[in-house]
Amino acid sequence: MKEYVTISLETHLFFGRIMREHALFLEAAFPAGEMAYRRKADWFREQFEHALERTVWLANGMVSEAVLHSGEVFTEFTEMAEQQTSKLTKISINVRITQAEKNLRAGRGICPDRRMIQNVRQLNQHMLQLLNGLIAFKEKILQEVTSCDLYTANYPLLIEHILREAKLYRQIMTALEEKGCMPLQDLKEAEMFWNQIMMEHALFIRGLLDPTECELIETADTFAGDYCRLLEVARKQDCRTMDEVTRKTLETTEQYRDFKAAGTEGITGCGIRSVILPLLADHVLREANHYLRILKTEEKGRG
């Protein structure tokens, strides 16, 4: 049950925040006249925010140091990015959650009591319920956008992208509730999933930068090509021959994380011309940090 509690809370700390931000990005991209869509996106943002706040309260002393120090829960830019994004979009963001996350302590091997297990189970079931609703909402938006019945400033690919992430979150939480542990994930499958996500980040960054940012556009293009090639190579491998691909992916992702960190610093510091919200820049940086932790864990396990 210790693994069940720890992994549940670690998953919510990362993905719960990601879902809250997905809802915010959806809301910010609808025209002012699409009040029903804006209100629904805002409702999901608010619900995930409340659930994330509860997660932080439960997580103190129950999660690993590796996750807290990975940069996937928050970065040095998160609080500023939230404040700036709230000011720019006029959408409320509870910055106190990030401040509380900075004070989280790692677990000390203490087994959770019955009450903690019950609280985490209730949180998991609530998150699954919210996820089912958010996934259905994203699917509806995608269907409406691709049939030219709805306008949003978000690319259709971005909507597909955030839909895949929500479905992965649901898959993890469903396995935790049904089996009490993390699903045994095929390492090749995990790398292909996250390499696809990283490639799409590069494509979005390229498309959201101001046309005058030639050097940054070229770098984003290069990373998109790198991940595209990694995906092609991985498709031809099996789990026994993935070691070299994983090493190359780790090296590429470390460089990419540094590029994203510099980009987030530039956007929060108003030094880069773009239509990228500061919180979106920090969002993709945290996802790179999350993926790096997965890759390093894989490599350590193989060693």
Side-chain angles (χ1 to χ4, degrees):
M1 294 314 290
K2 184 178 184 298
E3 183 187 359
Y4 167 78
V5 166
T6 298
I7 294 174
S8 294
L9 294 171
E10 288 176 348
T11 303
H12 296 319
L13 283 174
F14 173 68
F15 272 115
R17 176 182 277 275
I18 293 295
M19 294 304 118
R20 177 187 70 161
E21 290 165 359
H22 285 175
L24 185 148
F25 301 148
L26 288 171
E27 181 181 358
F30 287 125
E34 292 290 356
M35 288 310 298
Y37 282 97
R38 288 173 67 91
R39 276 195 295 267
K40 192 160 187 178
D42 191 65
W43 184 85
F44 279 114
R45 179 202 57 75
E46 196 173 59
Q47 294 304 308
F48 276 104
E49 188 163 84
H50 292 328
L52 181 60
E53 193 170 25
R54 176 143 181 82
T55 299
V56 175
W57 182 76
L58 291 170
N60 201 32
M62 300 304 300
V63 293
S64 70
E65 201 167 328
V67 165
L68 292 181
H69 292 166
S70 66
E72 67 189 80
V73 177
F74 62 88
T75 74
E76 62 187 291
F77 309 109
T78 306
E79 192 174 340
M80 184 188 292
E82 288 180 325
Q83 290 167 343
Q84 291 175 339
T85 300
S86 184
K87 181 184 174 185
L88 291 167
T89 62
K90 308 299 184 284
I91 298 170
S92 171
I93 299 173
N94 184 354
V95 181
R96 291 189 303 276
I97 294 173
T98 303
Q99 292 164 350
E101 285 174 340
K102 290 178 182 178
N103 294 320
L104 283 175
R105 292 175 294 105
R108 297 172 185 166
I110 302 166
C111 287
D113 59 23
R114 188 179 295 177
R115 185 170 179 179
M116 172 62 78
I117 294 164
Q118 186 179 8
N119 283 335
V120 169
R121 178 157 283 126
Q122 286 172 352
L123 178 64
N124 288 358
Q125 289 166 358
H126 179 57
M127 283 294 202
L128 276 168
Q129 190 178 6
L130 284 178
L131 271 171
N132 286 331
L134 184 60
I135 287 167
F137 183 47
K138 288 173 177 177
E139 287 174 335
K140 184 178 191 303
I141 293 168
L142 182 62
Q143 193 276 322
E144 296 273 302
V145 167
T146 53
S147 60
C148 301
D149 290 323
L150 176 68
Y151 174 78
T152 169
N154 288 321
Y155 292 119
L157 179 61
L158 188 139
I159 302 166
E160 290 172 346
H161 175 96
I162 65 175
L163 191 49
R164 281 198 299 277
E165 290 179 351
K167 286 180 177 178
L168 175 63
Y169 185 14
R170 182 171 66 180
Q171 181 186 325
I172 293 167
M173 295 320 303
T174 300
L176 277 166
E177 283 307 285
E178 289 177 355
K179 299 172 186 175
C181 62
M182 269 286 275
L184 282 173
Q185 198 171 20
D186 183 288
L187 298 180
K188 176 182 170 182
E189 195 179 293
E191 280 187 39
M192 288 187 71
F193 177 90
W194 284 106
N195 283 348
Q196 175 88 16
I197 294 295
M198 295 297 116
M199 180 185 75
E200 290 171 357
H201 284 172
L203 295 173
F204 299 142
I205 290 166
R206 181 188 70 182
L208 296 171
L209 285 163
D210 189 82
T212 60
E213 295 284 6
C214 303
E215 193 177 329
L216 291 175
I217 290 169
E218 191 178 334
T219 306
D221 235 0
T222 300
F223 277 116
D226 289 343
Y227 281 105
C228 185
R229 283 186 289 278
L230 285 167
L231 281 165
E232 286 172 8
V233 171
R235 284 188 191 104
K236 298 170 187 173
Q237 310 296 318
D238 60 34
C239 287
R240 294 165 296 175
T241 57
M242 278 294 289
D243 288 15
E244 193 178 332
V245 182
T246 301
R247 278 193 294 272
K248 179 62 180 168
T249 301
L250 178 56
E251 182 186 315
T252 302
T253 305
E254 283 177 332
Q255 293 168 0
Y256 193 29
R257 186 268 318 277
D258 293 344
F259 171 69
K260 285 179 170 180
T264 306
E265 185 174 19
I267 288 165
T268 54
C270 202
I272 292 174
R273 289 177 155 205
S274 77
V275 291
I276 301 171
L277 283 171
L279 193 54
L280 178 58
D282 188 68
H283 177 101
V284 298
L285 173 58
R286 274 179 272 119
E287 290 191 357
N289 286 333
H290 175 74
Y291 186 28
L292 275 175
R293 182 174 65 82
I294 292 170
L295 288 169
K296 287 173 182 175
T297 304
E298 273 183 30
E299 199 172 54
K300 192 177 176 183
R302 287 169 179 173

